[in-house]
């Protein structure tokens, strides 16, 4: 959640308005609207669209460790067990207008059939909160969509962003099921090298962070170099340093010699003879053939255009 890490993730994610404009799966998809506008109005609309997309991208799900189950006993009253036929759940419903984020702090307790009063477990808390303060798009119990066979079928159809959006609606980011399924999706994307399917969405940064944390970044680095995104590659290497060698971390400048040194140093460190390393070297040769200075200039121009829209 550090500001510098978020900045790197925002930068390498980029913004792809063409992908945003694609019709998403929906029961009643909106019809496209066509307008004829002057150049000034067109630029204003484009700037507005870029800003909306950046807000969406910045709402990436946080990377968290799985939560520990709640096991807190408040009182034990076995004498009332004979009249207890079902567990009773109590939730504080005061301040109904509180935001959804603050609902996590609600006092929720359970009196079970043995007479024990305890704090509600995570599953019980989420069901109680959904009853009292329903979140839009979330169901009381996970739908059949989240069954392994359904997820596998969706993965085969490359609906990565759609699945991840559904997961964010249904689960909290520290839920073990959310973590398990997101890792499954990230690993599937890694195995099939389909990184571009998430580029420009709020989930690309989470994918990149996961791969960097696990030191499985080579395929993504290769994808960046093959697409001539050399500045993204340099920023991604700085993220690796921040995660694993914080003392050596330094956000790179984009001078020709510095970019060349950073990329060649990374490729040369992969001395083992593997297919990935050979592909990395080939990608670097293609960048040199195209002209590293020209590639850097093109990358900077694209970033400058984006920044101009966001600052308008």
């Amino acid at each position: 959640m550090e500001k510098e890490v978020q900045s790197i993730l925002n930068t390498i994610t980029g913004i792809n308005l063409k992908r945003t404009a694609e019709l998403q799966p929906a029961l009643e998809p909106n019809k496209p609207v066509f307008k004829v506008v002057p150049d000034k109005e067109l630029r204003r609309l484009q700037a507005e669209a870029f800003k909306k997309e950046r807000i969406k991208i910045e709402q990436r799900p946080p990377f968290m460790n799985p939560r520990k189950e709640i096991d807190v006993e408040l009182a034990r009253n076995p004498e009332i067990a004979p009249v207890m036929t079902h567990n009773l759940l109590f939730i504080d419903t005061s301040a109904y207008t509180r935001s959804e984020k603050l609902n996590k702090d609600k006092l929720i307790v359970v009196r079970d059939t043995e007479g024990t009063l305890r704090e509600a477990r995570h599953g019980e808390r989420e069901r109680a909160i959904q009853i009292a303060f329903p979140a839009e798009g979330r169901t009381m119990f996970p739908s059949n969509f989240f069954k392994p066979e359904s997820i596998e079928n969706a993965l085969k159809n490359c609906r990565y962003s759609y699945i991840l959006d559904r997961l964010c609606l249904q689960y909290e980011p520290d839920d073990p099921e959310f973590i398990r399924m997101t890792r499954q999706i990230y690993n599937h994307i890694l195995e099939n090298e389909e990184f571009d399917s998430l580029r420009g969405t709020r989930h690309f940064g989470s994918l990149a962070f996961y791969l960097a944390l696990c030191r499985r970044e080579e395929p993504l680095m290769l994808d960046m170099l093959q697409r001539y995104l050399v500045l993204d590659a340099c920023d991604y290497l700085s993220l690796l340093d921040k995660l694993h060698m914080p003392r050596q971390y330094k956000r790179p400048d984009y001078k020709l010699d510095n970019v060349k040194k950073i990329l060649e140093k990374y490729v040369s460190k992969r001395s083992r003879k593997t297919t990935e390393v050979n592909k990395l070297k080939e990608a670097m040769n293609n960048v040199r053939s195209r002209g590293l200075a020209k590639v850097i200039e093109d990358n900077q121009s694209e970033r400058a255009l984006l920044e101009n829209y966001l600052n308008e």
Side-chain angles (χ1 to χ4, degrees):
M1 298 305 296
E2 287 186 20
K3 185 177 180 180
E4 186 68 14
V5 172
Q6 293 298 315
S7 174
I8 293 173
L9 297 179
N10 288 339
T11 301
I12 66 175
T13 296
I15 293 177
N16 189 336
L17 291 182
K18 290 182 179 180
R19 178 167 294 158
T20 306
E22 292 175 357
L23 290 176
Q24 300 298 321
L27 294 176
E28 296 181 1
N30 296 326
K31 294 182 179 179
V33 177
F34 296 91
K35 295 181 180 180
V36 178
V37 296
D39 289 344
K40 187 176 181 180
E41 178 66 8
L42 175 62
R43 186 168 183 83
R44 186 191 68 79
L45 292 173
Q46 288 174 327
E48 189 177 302
F50 274 106
K51 290 174 183 177
K52 286 181 179 179
E53 281 308 298
R54 173 51 62 87
I55 291 172
K56 290 180 183 178
I57 287 168
E58 290 176 350
Q59 293 174 341
R60 67 177 59 85
F63 194 94
M64 302 178 71
N65 291 322
R67 65 196 180 193
K68 295 181 180 179
E69 188 55 90
I70 299 173
D71 187 15
V72 179
E73 185 178 300
L74 303 175
R76 182 171 295 184
N77 306 102
E79 64 274 12
I80 66 173
V83 298
M84 296 291 295
T85 57
H86 299 83
N87 289 355
L88 299 178
L89 186 144
F90 303 87
I91 177 173
D92 170 23
T93 59
S94 61
Y96 185 83
T97 57
R98 290 175 66 184
S99 68
E100 183 181 327
K101 291 182 179 179
L102 295 179
N103 286 335
K104 295 180 181 180
D105 302 327
K106 287 287 187 182
L107 176 63
I108 305 175
V109 297
V110 174
R111 176 76 76 172
D112 63 28
T113 54
E114 297 175 355
T116 301
L117 183 68
R118 58 177 174 80
E119 290 188 12
R121 299 187 178 94
H122 286 297
E124 295 166 330
R125 286 186 60 84
E126 289 171 359
R127 289 194 293 274
I129 291 173
Q130 183 62 18
I131 292 172
F133 310 98
E136 186 178 353
R138 180 174 293 184
T139 57
M140 194 70 63
F141 297 96
S143 68
N144 291 334
F145 177 81
F146 298 106
K147 289 185 176 181
E149 56 272 18
S150 300
I151 293 288
E152 197 64 38
N153 186 53
L155 288 175
K156 289 178 181 178
N157 291 294
C158 303
R159 299 174 69 186
Y160 308 123
S161 184
Y162 177 71
I163 305 170
L164 290 167
D165 282 338
R166 290 284 301 271
L167 284 173
C168 290
L169 280 174
Q170 184 64 38
Y171 297 97
E172 294 297 325
D174 61 350
D175 190 311
E177 281 299 292
F178 177 87
I179 294 171
R180 180 188 64 79
M181 283 189 273
T182 51
R183 302 302 178 272
Q184 178 187 356
I185 296 165
Y186 295 157
N187 290 331
H188 181 91
I189 293 173
L190 176 64
E191 291 169 6
N192 293 277
E193 298 183 355
E194 294 178 339
F195 307 106
D196 199 53
S197 60
L198 288 185
R199 187 172 274 111
T201 73
R202 64 175 174 150
H203 303 293
F204 183 81
S206 300
L207 168 66
F209 186 88
Y210 169 72
L211 297 178
L213 194 65
C214 300
R215 293 311 307 253
R216 303 172 69 188
E217 80 287 345
E218 281 188 16
L220 181 53
M221 277 292 298
L222 173 63
D223 181 80
M224 290 176 174
L225 292 176
Q226 288 175 335
R227 297 178 187 279
Y228 300 102
L229 301 172
V230 296
L231 298 191
D232 286 1
C234 288
D235 282 334
Y236 194 45
L237 290 177
S238 71
L239 175 64
L240 282 169
D241 287 343
K242 186 162 184 63
L243 288 176
H244 301 287
M245 296 178 288
R247 292 183 179 179
Q248 298 182 24
Y249 168 75
K250 183 180 179 182
R251 191 77 181 261
D253 59 44
Y254 303 124
K255 294 180 180 178
L256 175 61
D257 292 340
N258 195 35
V259 171
K260 182 179 179 181
K261 180 180 177 181
I262 291 171
L263 296 178
E264 289 184 348
K265 182 180 178 182
Y266 176 78
V267 174
S268 64
K269 279 186 176 181
R270 270 67 192 157
S271 57
R272 59 189 186 280
K273 301 294 182 181
T274 64
T275 305
E276 256 102 29
V277 174
N278 293 333
K279 288 181 179 179
L280 275 171
K281 291 179 179 178
E282 182 181 349
M284 274 302 299
N285 290 333
N286 291 337
V287 170
R288 292 191 196 97
S289 300
R290 190 168 181 174
L292 183 56
K294 179 66 168 57
V295 173
I296 294 173
E297 184 182 349
D298 291 343
N299 285 186
Q300 288 176 325
S301 297
E302 291 177 7
R303 289 189 175 189
L305 179 63
L306 175 58
E307 286 302 316
N308 288 338
Y309 277 123
L310 294 175
N311 293 328
E312 285 188 6

